[in-house]
Amino acid sequence: MELQNREGQHVPEVTLKQRKGGDLIDVQTKDIFANRTVAVFSLPGAYTPTCSSTHLPRYNELAEQLFASGVDEIICLSVNDAFVMEAWGEHQEAEHLTLLADGNGEFTDGMGMLVDKTDLGFGKRSWRYSMIVRDGKIEKMFIEPEKPGDPFEVSDADTMLDHLNPEADRPSFATIITKPGCPHCARAKQALADNRIAYEDIAIGNRDITSRSLRAMTGHATVPQVWIDGQHIGGAEDLKAHLEQAAAA
């Protein structure tokens, strides 16, 4: 296997597929990349563990920062058919990404990234890589090292963002445990939204969580209970103090 870095070259002109609004449509690469800055990350297959748990979700998480750094579109590419890519996208948090199918491997082959994974029963698939393309020309490629298995070291979203904007902040993420109709919970969620902190809302009585579980995790049975980036913040007043302290720092 000899992978080729094609920085300075133009991307292949091929037809990719996308299923959108119930229709199977042709997507011309010459139209995708012309007069635009596009971030592309390509992976071995939809639904595979690293692709689903890390590679795709982090690009979606950092989409706002990538767009602010000059990227017009973020494309996830795989040697799968458009129906698989559509279904995978529906099972992922991928609202900021465009998932395209290189079902015949023509784009991937033209990039010199088509590899044989018949030992896994995959057939021909893409090696994992990412790139920045400006007006059809490849500015930078991040190609995973040629190691056995499925290395994932350099094609990640954080590496891409560091290349485009080394000073870019990373977004915070919160989880909040609430109860329906709780005014303090509503106040805490509004505070998170006002500070542009994305959050997941887990309601007691939903998703098999109870007050006993809440007490076991936090030592409290009151809601809301908020975590930000792995740190337990506490209730609504604790969150207010935390945000005020962060703003003053």
Side-chain angles (χ1 to χ4, degrees):
M1 177 173 61
E2 240 183 83
L3 303 175
Q4 302 170 22
N5 189 318
R6 301 207 168 180
E7 291 174 4
Q9 299 182 32
H10 283 82
V11 295
E13 288 195 9
V14 302
T15 302
L16 302 172
K17 296 288 186 180
Q18 184 181 28
R19 186 165 164 80
K20 198 171 182 180
D23 296 320
L24 189 64
I25 61 175
D26 290 343
V27 179
Q28 307 296 332
T29 56
K30 63 182 180 181
D31 298 328
I32 298 171
F33 295 105
N35 303 310
R36 308 172 76 225
T37 297
V38 181
V40 179
F41 65 103
S42 189
L43 38 83
Y47 292 103
T48 53
T50 300
C51 306
S52 296
S53 65
T54 309
H55 206 176
L56 182 146
R58 187 59 172 166
Y59 270 95
N60 196 62
E61 288 175 8
L62 293 184
E64 185 175 331
Q65 285 71 25
L66 290 166
F67 294 145
S69 301
V71 171
D72 295 304
E73 188 170 10
I74 305 168
I75 291 175
C76 173
L77 190 73
S78 183
V79 182
N80 287 109
D81 65 71
F83 294 91
V84 168
M85 294 297 280
E86 179 190 39
W88 185 44
E90 290 173 351
H91 287 90
Q92 294 286 313
E93 295 173 359
E95 66 272 18
H96 302 304
L97 311 178
T98 301
L99 277 62
L100 295 179
D102 184 25
N104 296 327
E106 294 172 338
F107 184 90
T108 304
D109 190 27
M111 286 294 303
M113 292 289 152
L114 194 65
V115 297
D116 188 351
K117 289 188 175 284
T118 53
D119 59 320
L120 299 176
F122 281 17
K124 299 288 188 179
R125 292 296 179 102
S126 176
W127 190 252
R128 195 184 295 277
Y129 71 96
S130 65
M131 62 180 175
I132 285 289
V133 182
R134 298 190 194 272
D135 193 20
K137 183 181 287 188
I138 302 165
E139 175 187 279
K140 181 67 177 178
M141 290 188 72
F142 300 97
I143 304 169
E144 293 298 338
E146 296 183 48
K147 297 179 180 179
D150 181 21
F152 179 49
E153 301 175 15
V154 299
S155 63
D156 57 285
D158 287 274
T159 298
M160 176 74 74
L161 182 57
D162 284 339
H163 168 72
L164 292 169
N165 183 4
E167 305 302 320
D169 292 329
R170 272 23 177 202
S172 289
F173 189 81
T175 294
I176 180 169
I177 297 180
T178 64
K179 281 183 180 177
C182 163
H184 302 298
C185 301
R187 181 158 56 92
K189 288 190 283 187
Q190 187 61 53
L192 291 170
D194 290 344
N195 284 270
R196 300 173 63 83
I197 299 175
Y199 64 86
E200 180 179 51
D201 183 5
I202 301 176
I204 288 179
N206 245 351
R207 305 186 189 182
D208 300 321
I209 187 168
T210 66
S211 297
R212 285 181 294 179
S213 297
L214 183 61
R215 186 182 294 278
M217 290 188 294
T218 68
H220 303 278
T222 56
V223 290
Q225 292 296 321
V226 181
W227 288 258
I228 299 178
D229 294 335
Q231 178 186 357
H232 178 222
I233 305 301
E237 287 301 314
D238 300 312
L239 174 62
K240 179 182 177 184
H242 174 81
L243 295 173
E244 287 175 349
Q245 183 179 7

